Amino acid sequence: MAEHTLQAETNAEPAHREPTDRGHVGRSRRGLLGLATGAAAFAAVMKSASAQPVRVKGDVDPSALLEKLVDRITFGATPEELTLARQLGYQGYLEYQLNHLAINDTALDTRIAALTTLNMTYPQLEPQTFGFVRNELTEATILRATFSKRQLFERMVELWTDHFNIDIVTVQYYKTADDRDVIRPNALGTFANLLNASARSPAMLYYLNNDVSTSANPNENYARELMELHTLGVDGGYTQTDVRQVALCLTGWTIWKGASTGVLEGTFRYNNTNHNQTAKTVLNTAIPTNGGQQDGITVLNLLINHPSTARFIATKMCRHFLGYDVARSIIDQVAATYTSSGGDIKAMLRVVLRPEHIAAATPKIKRPFHMFVAALRQTAATVTSTASMRTRLNEAGHLPFSWLTPDGYPDKASHWAGNLIARWNYGASLVNGTTGSISGLAVNDVAFYTGATTADQMIARIDDRLFGNRMDPDDRERIRQFLLPSPPTTTRRREAIGLALSCPSYQWY
Amino acid sequence: MSDDIHDQNTCGASGCREYQQLSRRSFVQASTGVVAFLAAHQWVPRVAYAQSHRGGMRDVIVSVYLRGAADAMSMCAPYFENDYYTKRPTIAVARPDSTDPNRLTALDSRFGIPPAMMGLHQAYLDGKLLFVHACGSTDPSRSHFEAQRFMEVGKPRDLSISTGWLGRHLDSVDVMVPGSALRGVAISSGMPQQLVGGPNTLPISNLDTFGIQGSTSTLSARRSSISDMYNLTTDPLKATAASTLQTITVLDAINFAGYAPANGATYPTSTLGTQLKSAAALIRAQVGVEAIAVDVGGWDTHENQAPVTGSMSTLMSTLATSIGAFYRDVIAGGGPNVTIVVMSEFGRRLQENGSRGTDHGHGTAMMVIGQCVLGGRVLTNWPGLAPANLFEGIDLAVTIDYRDILTEIVAQRAGNTQLSTVFPDFTPTPRGVFAC
């Protein structure tokens, strides 16, 4: 099988790119897709298996394309994941990740079994210390992103968590239930099920004040964000009148509160007494009088089936995986799939993640959570506690569930580019000394460098593990120099890993 | 907000459960570096706010936030009000003319400060400390988290704003020292909401040790590796790296550990004292820092408030001696121009509760301290403490919007002309905070 090395971009449809995102691709002489991979290992894998290498226009190197897919749909490619992907081939691996419930995740499940608040009901959570509950949910989120084999699933949980943002300090215990009952069951399901669950989520209703919205005193907050942020998008074609009318439709959508409600406490309640029963019009659709809860159901269906929602969701999914400025034609294909499949998230992902789309994907900055998790995955770090990591995530401005406003953590390079010290110090401290100085996290450099004894071998190992052999050559050379004289000392070889985590090319994927 | 889960939480010995959570709370995200600028509204002030630029240098704004709703009526007690004594039988501080050794010291014929606040007395006598009383946010929330949020984002009840008033201020004025890498700093881990959105703004919990972590023996080699690599990359990372490395260099060059306060000032060794001492060193170094945020926790005194002998007394004396030292060192000691503003999310209940403490209230007090403050007085439109004059019949009313005070600071002492960016949808009333 021929290996192709590209000098520059593929012949695939050129993706638009923000000027500021040239960081990685623009500088690398080898670009993201072309490379001469090391090896025997690669050749051996490719000889095995029935995996047909995927080819795209322009003869993009199939193995590089596969690695790029892995990079985009996981929180960081690992040797195990790449081996699996090569065995299964592009389509096989994609289907494997989409079929997430069939992936055996017992190792991860064992890890988080001790976090007992995750499965508690509201009455059980309420007497807990909030900080404890919050820490368990955050720790679970970190552990899942790091160790779950269901990586595409976890990347979608990330997307939907931001899309349906809820600030945990506001809603406290409700968010544990929202993560468990709204986001996770539906992250790879249908958008309709996801939206319907969210609209009945005590966390969401409380966060956006719908729980206190009544016919006498309607509150428009949820109604507005439901359209602006969750479905149609700000230019999706709704009016201020629609916002008011939707708010009236959703009056009575509230929460059972108070210990006297027993096992119902903290669950969704439709309270018809507070519902506005007048006739209404939403998005040019007449809603009759005395509609009760059906009013809200009608609204949700209107939004789910609206073409602006198809486009808005398609845009979010494309941006998440393919870059900051995805070609209109790709978004349109995904939006069409939304409509034709009934909002089937997997069907949409099959379109988003087509080989030619991945080939055209442009660099994205790793947000701090992603970068911190990728570092753990790719150094095969052991994690015994995430407490110190959570502190650092907070300093980096990306502690899970801590974004104040409903728009969620931004997915823009400009937002995240302003705090490098948090990344540099995470890298430096992770490997500092012989045991690292981030308590609860440990990198075993002996295992990392097995078989590599010289500076050249070690930089090759770093390139392979952290960059899939696509490390920027300037970063690579500089860190190779840091490893000199050869053979490197323990200090230097450990710190070289930290420098690699700190370097410009590691901040992108 | 009715049925507020915060209202349902009990508030006990260690404060409200909601607030305990806040004390473990992580503040909102760190610097955004290059931040989308909020469009400036074309707002023409009814009163011209004078700008004061002596040679382009503006006051450094030091914003001290008391987290937990500090009891303003203990810090600056209305001893002329009989209700203060009848409603607070165990926690009112004795009148200035009493023989109680722990009596108030009169500021004027109406208000006095308890012994624990005497660290600020000199600043008051010098006419550089202004108390603003019966002030605060018009937002009625008595939820710590909510009230802090709306106060810090600078607009009540607006859930769409994710930046802070002080961050927007930095983003809407010209850079004070061109080329300065660090314009705003929160001396804490995590960025407090009030500074979110500030360009070249970082949370730095320890100014003395800020830098690249790891082994000191390889620090230089690692730093130069990082510098070389980022020098070859493109923006935005290239620019951020350069500014970060510059900030490290600039802070390294400041002798925080060996800083010698001027004018005989001595900072207490408490956290706040240490933070303000390092702020003083940073300000004196004049490297272009324009805003510094500091948080002080622990003010949620639901039980055994003890403004004279116990927990609140300790809080106040730490506050007063720390800020008092800073005043003596920098403001009275001939340092660069600074305006300190001290605020809290709301005040506390006039009527003490059954646990010798106070519940959440409404009207609060602020302090403004600086070389140009028209101080030595209590600025207030005192509403009175009779039930008919209390907010919702129970709490000190708000008669001065806190944004009036902050507007004068950013306009008159920091040259901001984009006031509607700093405080959207707000028309300030001039209050005459400054003499110059």
Side-chain angles (χ1 to χ4, degrees), chain B residues 133-178:
Chain B
H133 219 326
C135 66
S137 173
T138 52
D139 192 276
S141 176
R142 293 188 182 83
S143 151
H144 293 294
F145 142 75
E146 234 186 14
Q148 286 180 23
R149 169 186 184 163
F150 293 135
M151 184 171 272
E152 291 184 86
V153 303
K155 185 179 166 193
R157 286 295 131 186
D158 194 325
L159 297 166
S160 71
I161 304 180
S162 57
T163 52
W165 70 272
L166 193 51
R168 290 194 300 276
H169 160 69
L170 289 179
D171 204 28
S172 56
V173 286
D174 293 337
V175 178
M176 183 167 78
V177 173

Short mmCIF file of all heavy atoms in Angstrom, two decimals, chain B residues 133-178:
data_model
loop_
_atom_site.label_atom_id
_atom_site.label_comp_id
_atom_site.label_asym_id
_atom_site.label_seq_id
_atom_site.Cartn_x
_atom_site.Cartn_y
_atom_site.Cartn_z
N HIS B 133 -23.29 55.05 53.38
CA HIS B 133 -24.18 54.17 54.16
C HIS B 133 -25.59 54.15 53.56
O HIS B 133 -25.98 55.06 52.84
CB HIS B 133 -24.24 54.67 55.61
CG HIS B 133 -24.28 53.57 56.63
ND1 HIS B 133 -24.91 52.37 56.42
CD2 HIS B 133 -23.77 53.52 57.89
CE1 HIS B 133 -24.78 51.61 57.48
NE2 HIS B 133 -24.10 52.27 58.39
N ALA B 134 -26.28 53.07 53.90
CA ALA B 134 -27.62 52.83 53.33
C ALA B 134 -27.51 52.85 51.81
O ALA B 134 -28.26 53.54 51.11
CB ALA B 134 -28.63 53.87 53.83
N CYS B 135 -26.53 52.11 51.33
CA CYS B 135 -26.30 52.01 49.89
C CYS B 135 -26.37 50.56 49.47
O CYS B 135 -26.62 49.68 50.29
CB CYS B 135 -24.96 52.65 49.53
SG CYS B 135 -23.54 51.76 50.22
N GLY B 136 -26.13 50.32 48.22
CA GLY B 136 -26.09 48.94 47.75
C GLY B 136 -26.82 48.78 46.44
O GLY B 136 -26.98 49.73 45.67
N SER B 137 -27.23 47.56 46.19
CA SER B 137 -27.92 47.25 44.94
C SER B 137 -29.42 47.34 45.14
O SER B 137 -29.94 46.94 46.19
CB SER B 137 -27.54 45.84 44.48
OG SER B 137 -28.33 45.47 43.36
N THR B 138 -30.10 47.83 44.13
CA THR B 138 -31.56 47.87 44.19
C THR B 138 -32.16 46.48 44.01
O THR B 138 -33.35 46.29 44.23
CB THR B 138 -32.11 48.79 43.09
OG1 THR B 138 -31.54 48.38 41.83
CG2 THR B 138 -31.72 50.24 43.36
N ASP B 139 -31.35 45.52 43.60
CA ASP B 139 -31.89 44.17 43.46
C ASP B 139 -32.30 43.63 44.82
O ASP B 139 -31.55 43.73 45.77
CB ASP B 139 -30.84 43.24 42.83
CG ASP B 139 -31.46 41.93 42.41
OD1 ASP B 139 -31.59 41.04 43.27
OD2 ASP B 139 -31.83 41.80 41.24
N PRO B 140 -33.49 43.09 44.93
CA PRO B 140 -33.99 42.70 46.25
C PRO B 140 -33.47 41.36 46.75
O PRO B 140 -33.81 40.95 47.86
CB PRO B 140 -35.50 42.61 46.02
CG PRO B 140 -35.64 42.22 44.58
CD PRO B 140 -34.49 42.88 43.86
N SER B 141 -32.63 40.69 45.97
CA SER B 141 -32.25 39.34 46.36
C SER B 141 -31.50 39.33 47.68
O SER B 141 -30.62 40.16 47.92
CB SER B 141 -31.37 38.70 45.28
OG SER B 141 -30.94 37.43 45.71
N ARG B 142 -31.83 38.38 48.49
CA ARG B 142 -31.07 38.14 49.72
C ARG B 142 -30.30 36.83 49.61
O ARG B 142 -29.92 36.22 50.61
CB ARG B 142 -31.99 38.13 50.94
CG ARG B 142 -32.63 39.48 51.25
CD ARG B 142 -33.36 39.42 52.57
NE ARG B 142 -34.03 40.66 52.90
CZ ARG B 142 -35.24 41.02 52.45
NH1 ARG B 142 -35.88 40.24 51.62
NH2 ARG B 142 -35.78 42.18 52.83
N SER B 143 -30.06 36.42 48.37
CA SER B 143 -29.22 35.25 48.14
C SER B 143 -27.80 35.74 47.89
O SER B 143 -27.57 36.57 47.01
CB SER B 143 -29.74 34.49 46.92
OG SER B 143 -28.69 33.82 46.27
N HIS B 144 -26.86 35.22 48.66
CA HIS B 144 -25.46 35.66 48.50
C HIS B 144 -25.01 35.57 47.06
O HIS B 144 -24.45 36.49 46.49
CB HIS B 144 -24.51 34.75 49.30
CG HIS B 144 -24.64 34.83 50.77
ND1 HIS B 144 -24.34 35.97 51.48
CD2 HIS B 144 -25.02 33.90 51.67
CE1 HIS B 144 -24.54 35.73 52.76
NE2 HIS B 144 -24.95 34.50 52.92
N PHE B 145 -25.21 34.35 46.55
CA PHE B 145 -24.67 34.08 45.22
C PHE B 145 -25.28 35.03 44.19
O PHE B 145 -24.59 35.63 43.38
CB PHE B 145 -24.92 32.60 44.87
CG PHE B 145 -25.26 32.45 43.44
CD1 PHE B 145 -24.26 32.54 42.48
CD2 PHE B 145 -26.56 32.33 43.03
CE1 PHE B 145 -24.55 32.48 41.15
CE2 PHE B 145 -26.86 32.28 41.68
CZ PHE B 145 -25.86 32.36 40.73
N GLU B 146 -26.59 35.16 44.26
CA GLU B 146 -27.27 35.98 43.26
C GLU B 146 -26.87 37.44 43.39
O GLU B 146 -26.58 38.13 42.40
CB GLU B 146 -28.78 35.90 43.54
CG GLU B 146 -29.58 35.50 42.37
CD GLU B 146 -31.08 35.57 42.65
OE1 GLU B 146 -31.51 36.16 43.65
OE2 GLU B 146 -31.78 35.01 41.82
N ALA B 147 -26.88 37.92 44.62
CA ALA B 147 -26.59 39.33 44.85
C ALA B 147 -25.16 39.67 44.47
O ALA B 147 -24.88 40.72 43.89
CB ALA B 147 -26.87 39.69 46.31
N GLN B 148 -24.23 38.78 44.80
CA GLN B 148 -22.84 39.02 44.39
C GLN B 148 -22.75 39.07 42.87
O GLN B 148 -22.10 39.94 42.30
CB GLN B 148 -21.93 37.90 44.92
CG GLN B 148 -21.66 37.99 46.40
CD GLN B 148 -20.75 36.88 46.89
OE1 GLN B 148 -19.99 36.29 46.13
NE2 GLN B 148 -20.82 36.59 48.18
N ARG B 149 -23.42 38.13 42.26
CA ARG B 149 -23.37 38.07 40.80
C ARG B 149 -23.84 39.38 40.19
O ARG B 149 -23.16 39.96 39.35
CB ARG B 149 -24.22 36.91 40.31
CG ARG B 149 -24.44 36.91 38.81
CD ARG B 149 -25.41 35.83 38.40
NE ARG B 149 -25.54 35.77 36.96
CZ ARG B 149 -26.06 34.70 36.32
NH1 ARG B 149 -26.47 33.65 37.01
NH2 ARG B 149 -26.19 34.71 35.01
N PHE B 150 -25.03 39.84 40.60
CA PHE B 150 -25.58 41.03 39.96
C PHE B 150 -24.77 42.28 40.30
O PHE B 150 -24.62 43.18 39.49
CB PHE B 150 -27.05 41.21 40.34
CG PHE B 150 -27.95 40.13 39.78
CD1 PHE B 150 -28.91 39.52 40.56
CD2 PHE B 150 -27.79 39.71 38.46
CE1 PHE B 150 -29.73 38.52 40.04
CE2 PHE B 150 -28.60 38.71 37.93
CZ PHE B 150 -29.56 38.11 38.73
N MET B 151 -24.24 42.31 41.51
CA MET B 151 -23.40 43.45 41.88
C MET B 151 -22.13 43.46 41.03
O MET B 151 -21.71 44.49 40.52
CB MET B 151 -23.07 43.39 43.37
CG MET B 151 -22.27 44.58 43.86
SD MET B 151 -22.11 44.62 45.67
CE MET B 151 -23.60 45.52 46.10
N GLU B 152 -21.53 42.29 40.86
CA GLU B 152 -20.26 42.24 40.15
C GLU B 152 -20.41 42.39 38.64
O GLU B 152 -19.54 42.98 38.00
CB GLU B 152 -19.54 40.93 40.48
CG GLU B 152 -19.05 40.89 41.93
CD GLU B 152 -18.26 39.64 42.22
OE1 GLU B 152 -17.04 39.65 41.96
OE2 GLU B 152 -18.86 38.66 42.70
N VAL B 153 -21.49 41.87 38.08
CA VAL B 153 -21.64 42.08 36.62
C VAL B 153 -22.12 43.50 36.34
O VAL B 153 -22.04 43.96 35.22
CB VAL B 153 -22.59 41.05 35.94
CG1 VAL B 153 -22.11 39.63 36.17
CG2 VAL B 153 -24.04 41.23 36.34
N GLY B 154 -22.62 44.17 37.39
CA GLY B 154 -22.93 45.59 37.26
C GLY B 154 -24.32 45.90 36.78
O GLY B 154 -24.60 47.02 36.37
N LYS B 155 -25.21 44.93 36.83
CA LYS B 155 -26.59 45.23 36.47
C LYS B 155 -27.51 44.21 37.13
O LYS B 155 -27.37 43.01 36.91
CB LYS B 155 -26.78 45.18 34.95
CG LYS B 155 -28.18 45.61 34.52
CD LYS B 155 -28.34 45.57 33.01
CE LYS B 155 -29.83 45.66 32.66
NZ LYS B 155 -30.08 45.32 31.26
N PRO B 156 -28.45 44.72 37.94
CA PRO B 156 -29.33 43.77 38.64
C PRO B 156 -30.18 42.98 37.66
O PRO B 156 -30.58 43.48 36.61
CB PRO B 156 -30.23 44.68 39.48
CG PRO B 156 -29.62 46.03 39.46
CD PRO B 156 -28.73 46.11 38.26
N ARG B 157 -30.41 41.75 38.02
CA ARG B 157 -31.36 40.90 37.31
C ARG B 157 -31.01 40.61 35.86
O ARG B 157 -31.83 40.08 35.13
CB ARG B 157 -32.78 41.52 37.34
CG ARG B 157 -33.46 41.42 38.68
CD ARG B 157 -33.74 40.01 39.06
NE ARG B 157 -33.29 39.73 40.40
CZ ARG B 157 -33.31 38.53 40.95
NH1 ARG B 157 -33.73 37.49 40.29
NH2 ARG B 157 -32.87 38.38 42.19
N ASP B 158 -29.82 40.97 35.41
CA ASP B 158 -29.48 40.66 34.03
C ASP B 158 -28.65 39.38 33.99
O ASP B 158 -27.47 39.37 34.34
CB ASP B 158 -28.71 41.82 33.39
CG ASP B 158 -28.64 41.68 31.88
OD1 ASP B 158 -28.54 40.53 31.38
OD2 ASP B 158 -28.68 42.71 31.18
N LEU B 159 -29.31 38.31 33.54
CA LEU B 159 -28.67 37.01 33.53
C LEU B 159 -27.83 36.78 32.29
O LEU B 159 -27.22 35.73 32.14
CB LEU B 159 -29.74 35.92 33.65
CG LEU B 159 -30.54 35.94 34.95
CD1 LEU B 159 -31.77 35.08 34.83
CD2 LEU B 159 -29.67 35.45 36.11
N SER B 160 -27.81 37.76 31.40
CA SER B 160 -27.07 37.54 30.14
C SER B 160 -25.65 38.07 30.19
O SER B 160 -24.86 37.80 29.30
CB SER B 160 -27.81 38.20 28.99
OG SER B 160 -27.69 39.62 29.10
N ILE B 161 -25.32 38.82 31.24
CA ILE B 161 -23.99 39.45 31.28
C ILE B 161 -23.01 38.48 31.93
O ILE B 161 -23.24 38.01 33.04
CB ILE B 161 -24.03 40.77 32.08
CG1 ILE B 161 -25.07 41.71 31.48
CG2 ILE B 161 -22.65 41.41 32.09
CD1 ILE B 161 -25.17 43.04 32.21
N SER B 162 -21.91 38.22 31.24
CA SER B 162 -20.92 37.31 31.82
C SER B 162 -19.61 38.00 32.15
O SER B 162 -18.68 37.36 32.61
CB SER B 162 -20.68 36.13 30.87
OG SER B 162 -20.25 36.60 29.62
N THR B 163 -19.54 39.32 31.92
CA THR B 163 -18.33 40.05 32.30
C THR B 163 -18.59 40.85 33.57
O THR B 163 -19.73 40.98 34.01
CB THR B 163 -17.90 41.00 31.18
OG1 THR B 163 -19.02 41.82 30.82
CG2 THR B 163 -17.45 40.23 29.94
N GLY B 164 -17.54 41.40 34.16
CA GLY B 164 -17.65 42.18 35.38
C GLY B 164 -17.45 43.66 35.11
O GLY B 164 -16.82 44.04 34.13
N TRP B 165 -17.95 44.48 36.03
CA TRP B 165 -17.86 45.94 35.83
C TRP B 165 -16.41 46.39 35.72
O TRP B 165 -16.07 47.23 34.87
CB TRP B 165 -18.59 46.69 36.96
CG TRP B 165 -17.93 46.61 38.31
CD1 TRP B 165 -18.10 45.65 39.26
CD2 TRP B 165 -16.96 47.53 38.85
NE1 TRP B 165 -17.30 45.90 40.34
CE2 TRP B 165 -16.59 47.04 40.14
CE3 TRP B 165 -16.35 48.70 38.38
CZ2 TRP B 165 -15.66 47.68 40.95
CZ3 TRP B 165 -15.43 49.34 39.20
CH2 TRP B 165 -15.08 48.84 40.46
N LEU B 166 -15.56 45.82 36.55
CA LEU B 166 -14.17 46.26 36.56
C LEU B 166 -13.43 45.73 35.32
O LEU B 166 -12.57 46.41 34.76
CB LEU B 166 -13.50 45.78 37.86
CG LEU B 166 -12.15 46.37 38.23
CD1 LEU B 166 -12.15 47.89 38.21
CD2 LEU B 166 -11.72 45.87 39.62
N GLY B 167 -13.78 44.53 34.89
CA GLY B 167 -13.21 44.01 33.64
C GLY B 167 -13.61 44.86 32.46
O GLY B 167 -12.78 45.19 31.60
N ARG B 168 -14.88 45.24 32.41
CA ARG B 168 -15.34 46.10 31.31
C ARG B 168 -14.71 47.49 31.39
O ARG B 168 -14.42 48.12 30.37
CB ARG B 168 -16.87 46.21 31.32
CG ARG B 168 -17.60 44.93 30.93
CD ARG B 168 -19.06 45.18 30.62
NE ARG B 168 -19.81 45.76 31.74
CZ ARG B 168 -20.34 45.05 32.72
NH1 ARG B 168 -20.20 43.74 32.75
NH2 ARG B 168 -21.02 45.65 33.69
N HIS B 169 -14.48 47.94 32.61
CA HIS B 169 -13.79 49.23 32.73
C HIS B 169 -12.41 49.15 32.07
O HIS B 169 -12.04 50.01 31.26
CB HIS B 169 -13.65 49.63 34.20
CG HIS B 169 -12.59 50.66 34.44
ND1 HIS B 169 -12.69 51.96 34.01
CD2 HIS B 169 -11.37 50.56 35.03
CE1 HIS B 169 -11.60 52.64 34.33
NE2 HIS B 169 -10.77 51.80 34.94
N LEU B 170 -11.65 48.11 32.40
CA LEU B 170 -10.32 47.97 31.81
C LEU B 170 -10.40 47.87 30.29
O LEU B 170 -9.52 48.34 29.56
CB LEU B 170 -9.61 46.73 32.37
CG LEU B 170 -9.15 46.79 33.82
CD1 LEU B 170 -8.49 45.47 34.21
CD2 LEU B 170 -8.18 47.95 34.05
N ASP B 171 -11.47 47.24 29.83
CA ASP B 171 -11.60 47.03 28.40
C ASP B 171 -12.06 48.28 27.67
O ASP B 171 -12.04 48.32 26.44
CB ASP B 171 -12.59 45.88 28.15
CG ASP B 171 -12.37 45.22 26.81
OD1 ASP B 171 -11.23 45.23 26.32
OD2 ASP B 171 -13.35 44.72 26.25
N SER B 172 -12.51 49.28 28.40
CA SER B 172 -13.07 50.46 27.73
C SER B 172 -12.28 51.73 28.00
O SER B 172 -12.73 52.83 27.67
CB SER B 172 -14.54 50.66 28.12
OG SER B 172 -14.70 50.75 29.52
N VAL B 173 -11.11 51.61 28.60
CA VAL B 173 -10.21 52.75 28.72
C VAL B 173 -8.93 52.45 27.96
O VAL B 173 -8.59 51.30 27.73
CB VAL B 173 -9.84 53.07 30.18
CG1 VAL B 173 -10.99 53.70 30.92
CG2 VAL B 173 -9.31 51.84 30.92
N ASP B 174 -8.24 53.49 27.59
CA ASP B 174 -6.94 53.29 26.97
C ASP B 174 -6.00 52.66 27.98
O ASP B 174 -6.11 52.88 29.19
CB ASP B 174 -6.35 54.64 26.53
CG ASP B 174 -7.14 55.25 25.40
OD1 ASP B 174 -7.83 54.49 24.68
OD2 ASP B 174 -7.08 56.48 25.25
N VAL B 175 -5.04 51.93 27.48
CA VAL B 175 -4.04 51.33 28.35
C VAL B 175 -3.27 52.44 29.05
O VAL B 175 -2.80 53.37 28.43
CB VAL B 175 -3.08 50.44 27.53
CG1 VAL B 175 -2.01 49.86 28.42
CG2 VAL B 175 -3.86 49.34 26.83
N MET B 176 -3.16 52.32 30.36
CA MET B 176 -2.52 53.40 31.13
C MET B 176 -1.02 53.47 30.82
O MET B 176 -0.48 54.56 30.62
CB MET B 176 -2.75 53.17 32.63
CG MET B 176 -2.19 54.28 33.51
SD MET B 176 -2.78 54.18 35.21
CE MET B 176 -1.74 52.87 35.84
N VAL B 177 -0.37 52.33 30.84
CA VAL B 177 1.05 52.28 30.51
C VAL B 177 1.19 51.46 29.23
O VAL B 177 1.05 50.23 29.26
CB VAL B 177 1.88 51.63 31.64
CG1 VAL B 177 3.32 51.44 31.21
CG2 VAL B 177 1.79 52.48 32.91
N PRO B 178 1.43 52.10 28.10
CA PRO B 178 1.47 51.36 26.83
C PRO B 178 2.45 50.21 26.91
O PRO B 178 3.55 50.36 27.44
CB PRO B 178 1.92 52.41 25.82
CG PRO B 178 1.54 53.72 26.44
CD PRO B 178 1.66 53.53 27.93
#
